Amino acid sequence: MAVLLVTGSPHVADTVVPLCAAVGVEVEVCPEPALSLSHWTGADLVLVGDDVADLVVALAPPRRQGVHVVGLSPGYEVFRAAVALGAASVLDLPGASDWLVDTLADVGERSSPGRVVGVVGGAGGAGSTTLACALAQWHAGRASTLLVDCDALGPGLDRLLGMEDLPGVRWEALAETSGRLGARALREGVPRREHLGVLTWSGLRRRLDVPTARRILPTAVGGHDLVVLDLPRQGGPVLAELADRCDDLLVVTPATVSGLAATARLVADLGRGGRAGLVLRPGGLSDADAERVTGLPLVATVGDQRGLAASVDRGLGPLAGRGPLARAARDLLAAA
């Protein structure tokens, strides 16, 4: 069940149910509070009418997130009941209808939350940004994808994809705002070309605002099938935190002595096991050497791609046509 509405008021039900229908979210209206307990923990969102808020409090339902009290001009006593329920807010309808619609839309998005794939260079110039763009381009041919620029010293992912002139919100604007941002609002707000959106900076003076990233990334996952993070190699604690938020972490490095040594240090600093894998670029050392030195399993090898620079300069991004990057992106995302 997506939404549980506990109310005996036809006015509250007649206000909320059409909003749920408008965004395509299933709602169960329960006029009897005692019967709501069986659905209390299973619903994605719980809305308690102000007409039965005290009765629900008396039932002592388990604490959970995603509870709101709703009503038409709710009185002061309703706020006491909301606190007792651990509700996130009291919504005065219909004035709060726009906010509720965004919240309901996010409930629909969360039914199939996206995956987060992080890409980081184990050594400088390894090609991690190129791979991140290729992954996003490949998946965007199939479903909604967001490419997130987390490297303030990088070239700007919108430029690599030929999207720098597209309108949309950038990191600077998000850092200046506070409060809740809906998944649909973020998806529609960033620069986008068909299924591919990109979140990056607008100017040369860049800084990744970590609190903003913490607020935005869960929203991004709720609104996209895939979120690709281009991670900063020299990120320190910021890199470690962002890497922990990834379902899959890809570490890109050349198969050289210097490249593998640098990658081993980065992997040790991250301290991440489990779903981290090595993407190997051309070099003189073997696959077995790369796995032994870095301690990571090899998940892909990516050879040099002819015409890569020209493709990026023409605004086509790195994934123009077939080649090593397209094959790697296909195989890596199939395994994710």
Side-chain angles (χ1 to χ4, degrees):
M1 180 193 306
V3 177
L4 172 65
L5 173 60
V6 188
T7 183
S9 167
H11 300 293
V12 172
D14 289 347
T15 302
V16 173
V17 172
L19 298 179
C20 294
V23 296
V25 173
E26 176 191 2
V27 58
E28 175 74 20
V29 181
C30 185
E32 176 53 55
L35 299 179
S36 69
L37 294 181
S38 60
H39 302 296
W40 185 268
T41 59
D44 294 305
L45 185 73
V46 175
L47 303 176
V48 178
D50 60 347
D51 59 305
V52 295
D54 287 334
L55 297 176
V56 176
V57 170
L59 295 171
R63 288 290 183 117
R64 52 155 294 164
Q65 295 182 336
V67 176
H68 302 271
V69 176
V70 297
L72 281 68
S73 300
Y76 176 77
E77 66 280 357
V78 173
F79 287 85
R80 291 198 299 267
V83 171
L85 289 172
S89 65
V90 175
L91 304 179
D92 185 359
L93 300 174
S97 294
D98 289 345
W99 189 96
L100 183 56
V101 165
D102 286 341
T103 302
L104 293 170
D106 286 354
V107 169
E109 302 281 5
R110 285 197 298 270
S111 63
S112 56
R115 295 193 63 79
V116 181
V117 175
V119 187
V120 63
S128 58
T129 295
T130 299
L131 179 62
C133 290
L135 291 169
Q137 282 190 292
W138 191 89
H139 196 268
R142 294 142 188 85
S144 180
T145 305
L146 181 66
L147 178 60
V148 182
D149 195 345
C150 302
D151 187 356
L153 298 179
L157 301 184
D158 54 347
R159 291 188 178 275
L160 296 184
L161 296 169
M163 299 172 65
E164 66 270 24
D165 293 329
L166 295 181
V169 66
R170 265 75 173 177
W171 274 123
E172 294 93 338
L174 292 175
E176 294 172 357
T177 62
S178 60
R180 182 185 176 280
L181 179 66
R184 182 174 60 177
L186 178 65
R187 184 177 64 245
E188 297 175 353
V190 297
R192 180 168 297 278
R193 180 183 293 143
E194 296 180 349
H195 287 309
L196 178 59
V198 61
L199 177 57
T200 184
W201 289 269
S202 59
L204 295 177
R205 300 191 60 168
R206 303 169 175 176
R207 182 181 67 86
L208 182 63
D209 184 72
V210 179
T212 300
R214 291 174 182 147
R215 177 168 57 92
I216 293 302
L217 289 180
T219 302
V221 173
H224 295 84
D225 186 71
L226 176 70
V227 177
V228 180
L229 306 184
D230 182 34
L231 297 170
R233 180 173 173 268
Q234 305 291 346
V238 174
L239 170 60
E241 177 174 337
L242 292 174
D244 282 342
R245 294 175 178 268
C246 297
D247 298 302
D248 300 276
L249 180 65
L250 304 175
V251 184
V252 187
T253 185
T256 61
V257 171
S258 59
L260 295 180
T263 301
R265 288 194 295 272
L266 179 135
V267 172
D269 288 342
L270 285 178
R272 178 188 170 100
R275 299 180 67 82
L278 189 67
V279 177
L280 207 57
R281 300 297 315 287
L285 299 183
S286 68
D287 295 354
D289 289 333
E291 291 186 323
R292 176 178 55 81
V293 173
T294 64
L296 294 179
L298 181 66
V299 293
T301 57
V302 184
D304 293 330
Q305 181 157 309
R306 296 178 58 183
L308 176 61
S311 176
V312 172
D313 289 343
R314 291 166 58 195
L316 302 177
L319 204 66
R322 299 177 181 177
L325 280 170
R327 290 192 294 272
R330 178 198 62 201
D331 295 343
L332 286 168
L333 292 178

